[in-house]
Amino acid sequence: MCSCHDCHHCAFTWHPAWTRDHLNWLLIHQICILDCLAERGDGPIVLVLAPTRELAVQIQEECTKFGSTSRIKHTCVYGGAPKGPQARDLQNGVEIVIATPGRLIDMLDSRITNLKRVTYLVLDEADRMLDMGFEPQIRKIVDQIRPDRQTLLWSATWPKDVQAIARDFLSNPYQVREMTLQVSLLQSMHCSCNGLNLFLSAWSNC
């Protein structure tokens, strides 16, 4: 991720650490973001798509923790809440947008924001988004993002439909596979990068 390669990550169990990993990645790119802070009317530089309001809010909470000392602004866009405050945030200009696909489409169709500046795209729980029928919305969103972006795709499973969008959205990605070896204790990742196999271990409660 640090080398700006696309990446797809398949983890069979979800853990809040994966959200922290996302934000660690975003902060690694903080210098790049600070070079082009958003002004009023600008679209975001980072877009994180999540399947549900609950997950989007959780990612926003982590973003607040990690970014509280920076000048980087963020907002969370999801259905089931008034559009007004979300639209004002977008119109004022933010560097990071965390969104559910349906509400983001509403904002794009209303021309409240645009995705012309998006350079970093995260698809979180991609398998769940597809199970919920969001594939048309995801494709419509990605079609509006520059092709030279960096894309990260997180998924708990690796069915054919997820493989298909990975092929369509990612370019020569690094592949990470993860399986639980000891429940709640040890997570092991097998990472294949340009033919090199790296075996990494990390405690799931870190």
Side-chain angles (χ1 to χ4, degrees), residues 50 52-61 76 78 98-100:
T52 65
R53 167 182 179 168
E54 291 75 19
L55 181 57
V57 169
Q58 186 172 20
I59 295 171
Q60 183 189 32
E61 290 171 353
C76 194
Y78 51 82
I98 304 114
T100 56

Side-chain angles (χ1 to χ4, degrees), residues 187-206:
Q187 296 287 340
S188 296
M189 295 189 299
H190 182 271
C191 180
S192 173
C193 302
N194 293 335
L196 297 177
N197 291 327
L198 306 175
F199 194 71
L200 308 174
S201 294
W203 293 103
S204 64
N205 62 351
C206 64

Side-chain angles (χ1 to χ4, degrees), residues 6-69:
D6 288 357
C7 177
H8 60 72
H9 179 188
C10 186
F12 300 118
T13 55
W14 185 87
H15 189 280
W18 311 149
T19 298
R20 292 196 295 272
D21 288 344
H22 298 170
L23 275 302
N24 284 332
W25 166 77
L26 297 180
L27 292 177
I28 287 168
H29 294 85
Q30 179 169 274
I31 295 175
C32 298
I33 297 173
L34 287 171
D35 285 340
C36 43
L37 291 173
E39 298 180 358
R40 183 172 175 78
D42 284 343
I45 299 169
V46 177
L47 174 61
V48 181
L49 289 180
T52 65
R53 167 182 179 168
E54 291 75 19
L55 181 57
V57 169
Q58 186 172 20
I59 295 171
Q60 183 189 32
E61 290 171 353
E62 295 295 327
C63 194
T64 300
K65 294 176 188 176
F66 279 87
S68 59
T69 59

